[in-house]
């Protein structure tokens, strides 16, 4: 207890903690006079006293400091102090070497770790392009650039430019080889570059259909043992032989390529075997083709091979194997995800955004295209084998429908049944087609709409417009967004001449499907009927942007411009029609008519003559050509056209009169007289023929003049009486209508008068 002291209240319990030794106060060194004096004098730079011989040492000198008493600091074994100067050179401070202190620094040198005191760095030495190595590098780059330009040109369809670039790359590559040999670097040849040049050149030759040159280039690659995997080029060579229809060589090279490709590349081997099967089909060797296709379907089944296998079985007429092949075809996995994953949910907003993003991406489009292709193959195969696998077409189609219903293509069953009805239509079995389509009236809306649309169109073709209208209404009620149903409804309304209402249905069909060309075409025709020519022109111009080579659309445009009194534009559009269908006689005749209207007779004759050459039965064309030759004083040439018209219309006397007239105009009076006599035998009451007979006989001094003159007077008198009878009949009917208002007696009188006139006319006919 002696050593225990109680703290008083006034004592500070935390005293002493903030005390520090001023010796360590580095912040006040600037104000320390003693330290600053030592720095300013040479005391701080004086080297320490050390022994000149090893083993000797002298006492250390005390260092004065204002911090306290002098403390002796000795150097062990006479080693100089760190940072001291010895023999005029500063010893490096090992701990701060990276800060720029080196042993080469002299006394008084400044601190310059970046070497800025030496001035700017010397410029880079210019690259010497004259050395062989640099020349080779530059040439290699040029070759690579040319190959790249060739590939880019091919990608945009400039095949000739791509070939030129490929040839230029080949020339540059040969120059590169010579330079390597001259420089003694032949061992460092870039084989990859040589391979790329040869392969690109061969491909460009093949793209330009220069097959012999392409085969030579591929042969150079194949024969060079230094190129790895060069055997695959035999596939390309086989493809060229296939295009040249040299099928035995194509099979030979396909098999050689197949031998050189390992089993690890399964997909490539399958594709080559598929090509071999196709070549066998082209050669008619269906058994060998079946062997290839069956192997593929057992190893890696796909839709295209399955379809080809069905075709081969159909070619050899094997019913049972056709059925098995069809079952294999509909069981081929497509590897497509379910469509349900693209249906958005109402809960997760982020998931819905992702679904919207991937709904129309390229992967989904590829899946849709694959599914459409598979459905097309299945539909085609079913329509092909249905009549062959059973005793009747209907039974075979029903078997295919049953198989499809039990497969992954369930939704195709209804489409197959509709195709069954369409097949009946093609076979002209309309009753069966109607019965088949009527079975869909109780199905779901989509199928019902499709069936009703076909029924409406079928009745429309049969001109049963009431039934067509009924089924078009049924199709629209089942699916209002079905453009085909709306078009059928518009057509039925159009047939009733209600053009305004028809235009509304066509517009609605276009709102549902803007690419519906049938609706746009019919809308243009409707506007044309309504005499709204500018709107019709707009419709057909839009249609021409979609269907560039449609002759019907261009002909409608030409007709519209003709109605708008712009013959030059009409001629231009008709010229486009002729460029698409050069043998269309109607278009040629229309061109002749337009040129004739413009006063260009020579061009009109050219087009009329071409029209006659392709269709020598158009009376209007024949008449124009005959009249043209008469106007140009070539009556002999006009005869053949009027004789053609006589054959087409033998009851029309005017063509035979034109033939006789041509003989008379050309001076062949004897032939003209014979022709007129022949006409008189066929048409004895023709006044014009008798007049020419009288004139010819008078000019030729023949005794038959009086006979024909008498006949002419008789015919003229009969004609006059006939005209009087027609005139009196008209007057009597008019008087009867007037007297009919007064009473029935007047009508009785007129009837009795007419009975009295009739014997007189009969007696005159007998004269």
């Amino acid at each position: 207890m002696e050593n225990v002291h109680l703290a008083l209240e006034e004592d500070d319990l935390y005293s002493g903690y903030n005390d520090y030794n001023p010796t360590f106060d580095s912040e006040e060194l600037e104000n320390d006079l003693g330290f600053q004096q030592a720095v300013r004098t040479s005391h701080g730079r004086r080297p320490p006293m050390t022994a000149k011989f090893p083993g000797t040492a002298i006492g250390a000198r005390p260092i004065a400091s204002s911090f306290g008493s002098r403390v002796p600091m000795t150097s062990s074994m006479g080693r100089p102090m760190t940072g001291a100067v010895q023999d005029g050179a500063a010893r490096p401070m090992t701990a701060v070497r990276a800060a720029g202190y080196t042993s080469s620094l002299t006394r008084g040198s400044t601190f310059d770790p970046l070497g800025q005191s030496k001035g700017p760095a010397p410029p880079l030495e210019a690259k010497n392009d004259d050395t062989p190595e640099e020349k080779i590098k530059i040439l290699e780059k040029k070759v690579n650039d040319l190959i790249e330009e060739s590939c880019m040109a091919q990608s945009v369809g400039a095949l000739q430019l791509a070939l030129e670039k490929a040839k230029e790359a080949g020339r540059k590559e040969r120059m590169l080889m010579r330079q390597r040999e001259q420089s003694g670097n032949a061992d460092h040849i870039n084989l990859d570059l040589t391979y790329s040049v040869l392969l690109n050149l061969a491909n460009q030759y093949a793209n330009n259909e220069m097959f012999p040159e392409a085969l030579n280039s591929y042969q150079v690659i194949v024969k060079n043992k230094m190129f790895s995997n060069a055997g695959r080029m035999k596939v390309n060579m086989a493809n060229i032989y296939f295009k040249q229809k040299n099928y035995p060589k194509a099979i030979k090279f396909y098999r050689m390529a197949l031998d050189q490709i390992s089993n690890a590349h399964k997909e490539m081997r399958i594709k080559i075997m598929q090509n071999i099967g196709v070549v066998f089909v082209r050669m008619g060797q269906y058994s060998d083709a079946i062997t290839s296709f069956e192997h593929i379907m057992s190893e890696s089944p796909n839709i295209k091979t399955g379809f080809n296998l069905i075709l081969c079985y159909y070619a050899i007429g094997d019913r049972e194997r056709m059925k098995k092949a069809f079952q294999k075809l509909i069981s081929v996995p497509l590897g497509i995800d379910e469509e349900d994953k693209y249906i958005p949910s109402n809960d997760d907003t982020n998931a819905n955004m992702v679904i919207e993003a991937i709904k129309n991406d390229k992967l989904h489009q590829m899946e849709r295209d694959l599914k459409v292709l598979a459905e097309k193959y299945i539909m085609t195969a079913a329509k092909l084998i249905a009549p062959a696998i059973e005793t009747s077409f209907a039974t075979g189609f029903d078997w295919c429908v049953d198989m499809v219903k039990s497969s992954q293509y369930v939704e195709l069953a209804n489409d197959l049944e509709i195709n069954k009805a369409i097949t009946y239509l093609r076979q002209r079995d309309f009753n069966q087609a109607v019965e088949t389509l009527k079975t869909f009236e109780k199905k779901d809306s989509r199928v019902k709409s499709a069936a009703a649309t076909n029924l409406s169109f079928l009745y429309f073709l049969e001109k049963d417009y009431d039934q067509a209208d009924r089924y078009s209404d049924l199709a629209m009620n089942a699916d209002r967004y079905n453009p085909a149903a709306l078009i059928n409804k518009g057509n039925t309304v159009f047939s009733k001449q209600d053009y305004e209402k028809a235009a509304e249905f066509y517009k609605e069909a276009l709102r549902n499907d803007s690419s519906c060309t049938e609706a746009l075409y019919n809308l243009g025709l409707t506007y044309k009927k309504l005499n709204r020519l500018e709107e019709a022109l707009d419709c057909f111009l839009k249609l021409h942007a979609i269907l560039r080579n449609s002759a019907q659309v261009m002909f409608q445009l030409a007709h519209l411009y003709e109605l708008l009194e712009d013959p030059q534009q009409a001629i231009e559009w008709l010229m486009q029609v002729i460029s698409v269908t050069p043998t269309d006689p109607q278009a040629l005749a229309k061109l002749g008519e337009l040129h004739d209207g413009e006063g260009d007779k020579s061009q009109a004759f050219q087009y009329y003559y071409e029209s006659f050459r392709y269709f020598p039965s158009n009376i209007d064309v024949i008449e124009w050509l005959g009249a043209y030759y008469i106007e140009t004083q070539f009556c002999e040439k006009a005869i053949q056209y009027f004789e053609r018209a006589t054959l087409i219309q033998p009851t029309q006397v005017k063509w035979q009169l034109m033939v006789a007239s041509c003989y008379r105009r050309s001076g062949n009076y004897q032939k003209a007289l014979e022709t007129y006599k022949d006409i008189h035998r066929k048409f004895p009451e023709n006044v014009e023929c008798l007049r020419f007979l009288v004139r010819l006989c008078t000019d030729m001094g023949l005794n038959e003049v009086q006979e024909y003159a008498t006949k002419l007077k008789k015919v003229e008198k009969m004609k006059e009486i006939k005209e009087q009878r027609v005139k009196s009949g008209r007057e009597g009917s008019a008087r009867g209508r007037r007297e009919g208002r007064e009473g029935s007696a007047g009508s009785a009188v007129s009837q009795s008068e007419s009975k009295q006139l009739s014997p007189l006319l009969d007696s005159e006919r007998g004269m």
Side-chain angles (χ1 to χ4, degrees):
M1 295 297 290
E2 295 178 356
N3 298 325
V4 176
H5 301 282
L6 296 175
L8 299 178
E9 292 182 0
E10 61 272 11
D11 291 342
D12 187 2
L13 296 177
Y14 299 100
S15 61
Y17 285 99
N18 292 330
D19 296 340
Y20 68 98
N21 193 341
T23 307
F24 304 106
D25 189 3
S26 60
E27 295 180 359
E28 296 295 330
L29 288 178
E30 293 181 359
N31 300 325
D32 191 340
L33 297 176
F35 180 77
Q36 294 296 331
Q37 182 66 26
V39 171
R40 283 194 296 270
T41 62
S42 62
H43 181 77
R45 297 192 295 271
R46 187 178 300 133
M49 299 297 294
T50 57
K52 293 183 180 292
F53 300 98
T56 61
I58 61 174
R61 294 183 59 175
I63 300 175
S65 174
S66 62
F67 299 128
S69 61
R70 298 183 177 183
V71 180
M73 299 180 64
T74 60
S75 176
S76 63
M77 297 181 66
R79 184 170 62 87
M81 295 172 59
T82 303
V85 179
Q86 184 179 9
D87 297 333
R91 179 181 176 273
M93 300 176 68
T94 56
V96 289
R97 177 177 290 276
Y101 293 102
T102 61
S103 60
S104 62
L105 288 176
T106 58
R107 180 176 297 177
S109 61
T110 58
F111 177 72
D112 188 15
L114 299 179
Q116 296 178 357
S117 62
K118 298 179 180 179
L124 296 175
E125 295 182 1
K127 192 173 182 181
N128 190 5
D129 293 339
D130 294 334
T131 60
E133 292 80 7
E134 290 300 326
K135 288 182 178 180
I136 289 172
K137 287 182 180 179
I138 293 171
L139 204 52
E140 276 189 357
K141 187 177 184 306
K142 285 183 180 179
V143 173
N144 282 313
D145 291 342
L146 285 169
I147 294 173
E148 196 170 324
E149 290 172 8
S150 175
C151 295
M152 292 298 293
Q154 180 204 345
S155 66
V156 298
L159 301 181
Q160 189 63 36
L161 178 61
L163 179 59
E164 292 299 326
K165 294 289 183 182
K167 289 180 178 179
E168 182 66 21
R171 288 192 290 269
K172 294 288 184 185
E173 198 271 338
R174 287 191 292 273
M175 289 174 58
L176 177 63
M177 295 280 286
R178 286 196 295 271
Q179 285 196 10
R180 285 188 184 278
E181 292 174 356
Q182 291 172 3
S183 62
N185 293 329
D187 296 336
H188 298 84
I189 293 175
N190 191 344
L191 288 176
D192 293 337
L193 184 63
T194 305
Y195 182 83
S196 301
V197 169
L198 290 173
L199 179 59
N200 182 56
L201 182 61
N203 288 339
Q204 301 310 330
Y205 276 134
N207 292 333
N208 284 273
E209 297 185 356
M210 300 171 67
F211 297 133
E213 293 84 352
L215 289 171
N216 291 335
S217 300
Y218 283 128
Q219 197 70 31
V220 172
I221 298 174
V222 170
K223 287 185 176 181
N224 195 330
K225 303 298 182 182
M226 300 180 70
F227 295 144
S228 59
N229 298 323
R232 297 186 179 186
M233 295 301 104
K234 292 180 180 178
V235 177
N236 296 20
M237 299 174 72
N239 291 338
I240 291 175
Y241 284 125
F242 180 80
K243 289 179 181 178
Q244 292 179 330
K245 298 184 180 181
N246 190 349
Y247 300 130
K249 269 201 170 183
I251 290 177
K252 175 185 175 182
F253 276 85
Y254 278 135
R255 284 177 170 168
M256 290 168 66
L258 198 63
D259 293 338
Q260 295 184 5
I261 295 175
S262 64
N263 293 327
H265 300 88
K266 182 179 178 181
E267 186 176 355
M268 181 172 285
R269 290 179 63 86
I270 290 294
K271 288 182 178 180
I272 294 174
M273 291 191 69
Q274 190 168 347
N275 288 356
I276 292 173
V278 171
V279 177
F280 277 130
V281 170
R282 290 294 183 91
M283 297 173 67
Q285 299 179 15
Y286 299 114
S287 300
D288 296 327
I290 288 170
T291 303
S292 297
F293 292 143
E294 283 181 343
H295 176 75
I296 295 171
M297 292 300 288
S298 62
E299 293 291 329
S300 177
N302 61 79
I303 289 291
K304 189 176 290 187
T305 303
F307 181 71
N308 288 337
L309 186 59
I310 290 175
L311 293 180
C312 291
Y313 287 144
Y314 179 81
I316 63 176
D318 194 331
R319 291 187 176 184
E320 293 302 321
R321 294 171 85 179
M322 268 190 275
K323 289 183 177 181
K324 291 180 181 178
F326 187 78
Q327 291 173 341
K328 285 183 181 179
L329 178 65
I330 61 178
S331 62
V332 171
L334 296 179
I336 297 175
D337 293 333
E338 296 295 331
E339 292 289 332
D340 297 340
K341 78 171 187 178
Y342 297 106
I343 300 175
S345 60
N346 297 326
D347 302 331
D348 194 348
T349 306
N350 294 330
N352 291 343
M353 292 176 65
V354 173
I355 289 171
E356 287 296 326
I358 67 174
K359 186 180 291 185
N360 291 316
D361 62 353
K362 291 186 178 181
L363 180 60
H364 192 204
Q365 290 175 6
M366 185 181 71
E367 290 178 346
R368 283 201 298 259
D369 293 342
L370 181 59
K371 189 174 181 181
V372 169
L373 181 65
E375 292 176 354
K376 176 186 174 184
Y377 280 141
I378 292 170
M379 297 282 285
T380 308
K383 288 187 286 186
L384 177 69
I385 67 174
I389 58 177
E390 298 292 345
T391 54
S392 67
F393 162 76
T395 310
F397 222 103
D398 291 339
W399 180 88
C400 293
V401 171
D402 293 338
M403 290 297 105
V404 170
K405 283 181 179 178
S406 60
S407 70
Q408 58 182 328
Y409 303 99
V410 182
E411 65 275 7
L412 271 184
N414 292 325
D415 294 336
L416 275 172
E417 292 190 19
I418 290 178
N419 269 276
K420 177 182 175 183
I422 294 172
T423 308
Y424 278 131
L425 287 177
R426 288 175 178 158
Q427 294 176 353
R428 304 290 180 181
D429 193 348
F430 299 110
N431 294 328
Q432 283 291 340
V434 171
E435 291 299 323
T436 305
L437 290 171
K438 284 183 177 179
T439 59
F440 290 95
E441 292 186 9
K442 296 182 180 179
K443 295 287 182 75
D444 60 356
S445 59
R446 185 186 67 84
V447 179
K448 185 195 298 185
S449 178
T453 301
N454 286 319
L455 279 170
S456 174
F457 183 68
L458 183 59
Y459 282 120
F460 186 83
L461 292 178
E462 293 179 347
K463 297 184 179 180
D464 189 350
Y465 299 124
D466 294 333
Q467 286 289 344
D469 188 59
R470 173 176 169 268
Y471 278 102
S472 63
D473 288 335
L474 183 63
M476 285 195 303
N477 293 333
D479 184 5
R480 185 70 186 187
Y481 299 100
N482 184 357
L486 292 166
I487 292 171
N488 286 343
K489 179 65 177 177
N491 291 345
T492 57
V493 176
F494 186 95
S495 64
K496 297 175 183 177
Q497 298 183 358
D498 191 353
Y499 302 123
E500 292 287 352
K501 195 173 181 181
E504 292 301 321
F505 284 112
Y506 296 141
K507 287 178 184 177
E508 188 176 353
L510 284 171
R511 284 194 293 270
N512 294 336
D513 183 6
S514 59
S515 63
C516 186
T517 55
E518 295 88 351
L520 194 56
Y521 189 91
N522 291 353
L523 182 62
L525 293 179
T526 307
Y527 283 143
K528 195 173 171 185
K529 285 286 186 181
L530 293 169
N531 204 28
R532 292 155 64 175
L533 301 180
E534 293 292 342
E535 295 177 64
L537 186 65
D538 185 51
C539 289
F540 284 112
L541 286 173
K542 289 179 181 176
L543 198 57
H544 177 66
I546 301 171
L547 306 173
R548 282 289 179 185
N549 295 323
S550 174
Q552 293 178 340
V553 174
M554 291 186 283
F555 190 85
Q556 290 292 339
L557 284 167
H559 190 224
L560 283 169
Y561 277 115
E562 183 186 2
L563 295 175
L564 290 168
E565 298 180 356
D566 190 351
Q568 291 301 323
Q569 283 288 338
I571 289 173
E572 288 184 13
W573 282 106
L574 282 172
M575 291 298 293
Q576 292 191 40
V577 174
I578 296 302
S579 67
V580 176
T581 56
T583 60
D584 186 355
Q586 280 297 118
L588 290 165
K590 195 67 181 177
L591 269 172
E593 180 184 342
L594 289 172
H595 281 292
D596 188 27
E598 291 293 298
D600 192 349
K601 291 286 186 181
S602 60
Q603 282 289 342
F605 169 75
Q606 178 183 348
Y607 289 116
Y608 271 123
Y609 180 77
E610 287 294 314
S611 176
F612 174 78
R613 194 162 62 89
Y614 291 119
F615 184 63
S617 300
N618 190 333
I619 290 295
D620 295 332
V621 173
I622 291 171
E623 185 177 7
W624 190 93
L625 287 170
Y628 173 79
Y629 278 119
I630 290 175
E631 288 178 8
T632 54
Q633 306 298 323
F634 290 100
C635 299
E636 298 88 350
K637 291 187 177 181
I639 293 172
Q640 59 177 333
Y641 295 103
F642 292 125
E643 286 179 344
R644 170 76 63 173
T646 303
L647 293 175
I648 297 170
Q649 294 180 346
T651 59
Q652 293 288 333
V653 67
K654 67 176 182 178
W655 306 122
Q656 300 182 40
L657 289 172
M658 290 302 299
V659 172
S661 176
C662 289
Y663 281 124
R664 183 171 54 81
R665 288 170 182 267
S666 61
N668 193 348
Y669 298 113
Q670 187 62 39
K671 189 70 177 176
L673 180 62
E674 293 175 2
T675 307
Y676 280 125
K677 286 181 179 180
D678 187 56
I679 295 170
H680 179 64
R681 282 193 298 271
K682 294 177 182 177
F683 304 96
E685 296 181 359
N686 188 272
V687 177
E688 188 175 357
C689 177
L690 285 169
R691 286 174 182 168
F692 280 113
L693 277 171
V694 171
R695 185 183 302 177
L696 278 174
C697 291
T698 303
D699 293 341
M700 297 173 69
L702 299 177
N703 298 327
E704 299 170 310
V705 175
Q706 191 62 37
E707 178 186 354
Y708 290 123
T710 305
K711 288 182 179 180
L712 177 61
K713 289 179 181 179
K714 180 180 177 182
V715 170
E716 286 177 344
K717 188 174 182 181
M718 289 176 61
K719 185 177 180 182
E720 184 179 352
I721 294 172
K722 189 181 294 184
E723 289 175 356
Q724 288 178 357
R725 180 183 177 186
V726 172
K727 185 177 179 181
S728 63
R730 289 175 183 172
E731 291 176 354
S733 62
R735 187 170 60 252
R737 285 195 298 271
R738 286 195 304 270
E739 293 176 353
R741 301 188 188 98
E742 299 175 358
S744 59
S747 62
V749 171
S750 64
Q751 289 174 5
S752 62
E753 289 177 352
S754 65
K755 288 179 181 177
Q756 292 174 1
L757 286 173
S758 58
L760 176 63
L761 293 175
D762 290 338
S763 62
E764 287 180 353
R765 289 193 192 97
M767 288 176 61

